[in-house]
Amino acid sequence: MTKTDMRPVKLPPEQEASANRALHQVRGYLETHRDLSQITVRPDGDPEPLALPREVVELLAGVLAHLGAGRGVSVVPSDAELTTQQAADMLNVSRPFLIGLLTAGEIEYRTVGTHRRIKASSLFEYKQKDDRRRRTAADELTALDQEMGLM
């Protein structure tokens, strides 16, 4: 398996407005052409059109939204194997905390020699589960606050 490059791409501030304009155009096109499963782009003066699956154009819209907001973006294949440091960085936690999650069985991993490797899909699955748990806990706390008249 090849090494996964996790360096985010970030636009210079002067190009963020351009990304936002492109995002507006892409979202508008997707909205008015909901029935298309493939989007065809014909660059000015180029006789050969470029055909893109709708999912790719939707992903592009997400990338543009983040870049336009000044955030860096990395694209990680779901089957990519990450080092513990890369996975910890993606979760925004320390490496020792991530190791604890792996040891507790919260995230699937495999060992390669003495090293742990985490599939990106397993990491994303854990993140979704953790986000759901957090939302449920916050909702319960809000309900308790309202019950007690604190809100």
Side-chain angles (χ1 to χ4, degrees):
M1 192 156 283
T2 60
K3 185 173 175 1
T4 302
D5 187 2
M6 300 280 295
R7 290 176 298 179
V9 172
K10 189 171 184 198
L11 293 178
E14 62 272 9
Q15 290 182 5
E16 290 172 8
S18 176
N20 284 320
R21 282 191 301 279
L23 171 63
H24 181 72
Q25 287 179 297
V26 169
R27 280 187 177 160
Y29 191 89
L30 289 170
E31 183 67 31
T32 58
H33 298 84
R34 291 177 190 232
D35 56 328
L36 294 179
S37 62
Q38 186 168 301
I39 312 295
T40 303
V41 180
R42 188 180 307 269
D44 289 342
D46 194 337
E48 188 158 342
L50 174 63
L52 301 169
R54 182 179 190 87
E55 295 81 4
V56 170
V57 178
E58 289 171 349
L59 178 62
L60 173 63
V63 168
L64 287 168
H66 288 290
L67 291 172
R71 293 187 291 268
V73 175
S74 296
V75 176
V76 180
S78 60
D79 66 343
E81 286 193 324
L82 308 172
T83 66
T84 52
Q85 187 60 60
Q86 289 172 323
D89 290 345
M90 286 183 74
L91 291 178
N92 200 28
V93 298
S94 69
R95 190 175 159 280
F97 182 82
L98 176 79
I99 300 293
L101 292 173
L102 298 177
T103 305
E106 293 285 327
I107 303 172
E108 284 184 45
Y109 70 97
R110 72 182 185 106
T111 53
V112 179
T114 59
H115 301 281
R116 296 175 184 92
R117 295 291 180 256
I118 301 114
K119 274 204 172 180
S121 58
S122 296
L123 193 69
F124 299 144
E125 186 180 307
Y126 166 78
K127 188 164 175 30
Q128 287 177 335
K129 243 183 356 187
D130 189 52
D131 288 346
R132 277 193 302 272
R133 264 193 307 248
R134 288 171 192 251
R135 273 194 299 275
T136 301
D139 291 346
E140 288 172 2
L141 284 173
T142 301
L144 280 173
D145 281 350
Q146 289 174 345
E147 246 178 63
M148 297 174 72
L150 298 175
M151 285 186 81

